[in-house]
Amino acid sequence: MSPVLFIIYMDELNTLLNDTKIGCHIAATCINHIAYADDMVLLAPTVSALRRLLDLCGTYAATHGLTYNVKKTKVMYFRKGKRPVTTLPIQLNGQDLEYVDSFKYLGHIVTSNLTDGMDLDRHRRALSVRSNMLARRFARCSDYVKMLLFKTYCTTIYTCELWCKYTKAEYSALRVEYNNALRIMLRLPKFCSASEMFTETRLPGFAALKRQRVANTRERFYNSQDKIVPALLQINGPLIEHRMKLHSDIIIF
């Protein structure tokens, strides 16, 4: 019951934040916070707007016996172009908050310049560790078991459907690591054909895996009952444009 009770306890704060109408607007929808369990993100177009939202959160916490972890609370300024950035002090409970250029939120690395290179590199390094560990610990298992382990531990590339701004080198490095992971586990030659390897094992190649994840996310977007998601679908942002480019031939019913 703990998660449900906590949501009920925090519901009043969500209502108070929504009633301010202070925040970022997409079409006619105001979005000033995103809450998931005990993680909350505040969205504001200006420093003064962010300060007002933080003051509201601080007051609510003081009157409801809550304590914010200031050390884990960060501020990120999303840059537009290459203009110089002047950061003004922002406080929570009387303590200055740290400005950062990147932050890992719900398993995905968000950067101030809205690029996905850091998240791709994180997945590349994690994939290398997992594949080598599996190849070492299960070296004497059958190929069937190894393929099952690969499908379970190496094809779950979390949030890859959100990538839309990265370089070919960053994407290629992760794709090569994905191909090498299966080669290492099955003890295949280093330069064997990747397409033939995935065809024979009936495992998804990296491009097919990413396209499937993006298609599933699109379907969930269009079927979502959340008020924020329809607002996102009304704009031609880089994420939507990238998905349309990848899947212009896919029709979801």
Side-chain angles (χ1 to χ4, degrees), residues 229-246:
V229 175
L232 294 174
L233 295 175
Q234 296 178 19
I235 60 174
N236 293 323
L239 183 60
I240 303 300
E241 292 177 358
H242 185 70
R243 289 176 177 175
M244 292 301 294
K245 182 179 179 181
L246 287 177

Side-chain angles (χ1 to χ4, degrees), residues 163-221:
W163 299 338
C164 63
K165 193 175 181 181
Y166 48 83
T167 65
K168 290 184 178 180
E170 293 166 342
Y171 180 85
S172 179
L174 178 56
R175 178 180 55 81
V176 170
E177 189 65 51
Y178 180 84
N179 296 343
N180 288 338
L182 185 57
R183 291 190 180 104
I184 292 172
M185 292 188 64
L186 297 181
R187 296 185 177 182
L188 297 174
K190 183 177 180 180
F191 297 104
C192 67
S193 172
S195 58
E196 182 179 350
M197 173 179 64
F198 285 110
T199 300
E200 291 182 355
T201 58
R202 295 186 178 182
L203 291 170
F206 187 75
L209 177 67
K210 187 173 184 297
R211 289 172 65 90
Q212 182 182 15
R213 291 287 297 270
V214 172
N216 292 340
T217 303
R218 284 186 60 192
E219 184 176 9
R220 292 174 60 191
F221 259 50

Side-chain angles (χ1 to χ4, degrees), residues 3-17 33 35 37-40 57 60-61 64 66 68:
V4 176
L5 293 175
F6 183 78
I7 292 173
I8 296 174
Y9 196 69
M10 296 296 292
D11 187 60
E12 184 181 350
L13 177 59
N14 294 325
T15 302
L16 292 173
L17 290 171
H33 75 288
D38 61 341
D39 288 313
M40 178 173 287
C57 291
Y60 185 87
H64 289 74
L66 298 172
Y68 286 106

Side-chain angles (χ1 to χ4, degrees), residues 21-26 29-33 42-46 49 53:
K21 302 301 180 182
I22 300 172
C24 299
H25 287 75
I26 299 178
T29 304
C30 178
I31 304 173
N32 58 17
H33 75 288
L42 298 179
L43 304 171
T46 63
L53 296 176

Side-chain angles (χ1 to χ4, degrees), residues 7-251:
I7 292 173
I8 296 174
Y9 196 69
M10 296 296 292
D11 187 60
E12 184 181 350
L13 177 59
N14 294 325
T15 302
L16 292 173
L17 290 171
N18 288 330
D19 290 343
T20 62
K21 302 301 180 182
I22 300 172
C24 299
H25 287 75
I26 299 178
T29 304
C30 178
I31 304 173
N32 58 17
H33 75 288
I34 301 174
Y36 182 85
D38 61 341
D39 288 313
M40 178 173 287
V41 174
L42 298 179
L43 304 171
T46 63
V47 172
S48 59
L50 181 58
R51 286 172 176 169
R52 291 181 62 181
L53 296 176
L54 282 171
D55 289 343
L56 182 60
C57 291
T59 302
Y60 185 87
T63 57
H64 289 74
L66 298 172
T67 302
Y68 286 106
N69 191 332
V70 179
K71 292 183 179 179
K72 290 185 177 180
T73 306
K74 309 297 181 182
V75 179
M76 183 180 296
Y77 178 89
F78 294 99
R79 296 175 174 85
K80 184 177 181 181
K82 298 182 179 180
R83 295 181 301 177
V85 178
T86 302
T87 56
L88 301 175
I90 297 178
Q91 295 184 338
L92 176 62
N93 296 336
Q95 300 183 49
D96 289 339
L97 298 179
E98 179 187 1
Y99 278 86
V100 295
D101 290 324
S102 63
F103 187 79
K104 187 177 180 181
Y105 177 66
L106 299 181
H108 182 79
I109 297 181
V110 183
T111 60
S112 58
N113 57 3
L114 298 177
T115 58
D116 300 304
M118 292 184 63
D119 200 59
L120 269 78
D121 186 63
R122 178 180 66 87
H123 277 287
R124 181 188 60 79
R125 289 183 279 107
L127 182 60
S128 176
V129 172
R130 288 197 299 269
S131 61
N132 282 284
M133 180 272 294
L134 292 171
R136 183 177 65 255
R137 292 188 179 182
F138 302 95
R140 298 188 178 183
C141 292
S142 64
D143 286 349
Y144 174 79
V145 173
K146 292 179 180 178
M147 289 187 292
L148 184 61
L149 290 169
F150 178 84
K151 186 176 182 180
T152 303
Y153 291 99
C154 297
T155 62
T156 54
I157 304 179
Y158 185 65
T159 72
C160 68
E161 60 270 24
L162 300 179
W163 299 338
C164 63
K165 193 175 181 181
Y166 48 83
T167 65
K168 290 184 178 180
E170 293 166 342
Y171 180 85
S172 179
L174 178 56
R175 178 180 55 81
V176 170
E177 189 65 51
Y178 180 84
N179 296 343
N180 288 338
L182 185 57
R183 291 190 180 104
I184 292 172
M185 292 188 64
L186 297 181
R187 296 185 177 182
L188 297 174
K190 183 177 180 180
F191 297 104
C192 67
S193 172
S195 58
E196 182 179 350
M197 173 179 64
F198 285 110
T199 300
E200 291 182 355
T201 58
R202 295 186 178 182
L203 291 170
F206 187 75
L209 177 67
K210 187 173 184 297
R211 289 172 65 90
Q212 182 182 15
R213 291 287 297 270
V214 172
N216 292 340
T217 303
R218 284 186 60 192
E219 184 176 9
R220 292 174 60 191
F221 259 50
Y222 285 104
N223 294 330
S224 175
Q225 301 299 318
D226 189 278
K227 70 175 184 179
I228 296 179
V229 175
L232 294 174
L233 295 175
Q234 296 178 19
I235 60 174
N236 293 323
L239 183 60
I240 303 300
E241 292 177 358
H242 185 70
R243 289 176 177 175
M244 292 301 294
K245 182 179 179 181
L246 287 177
H247 300 274
S248 58
D249 57 337
I250 295 179
I251 300 176

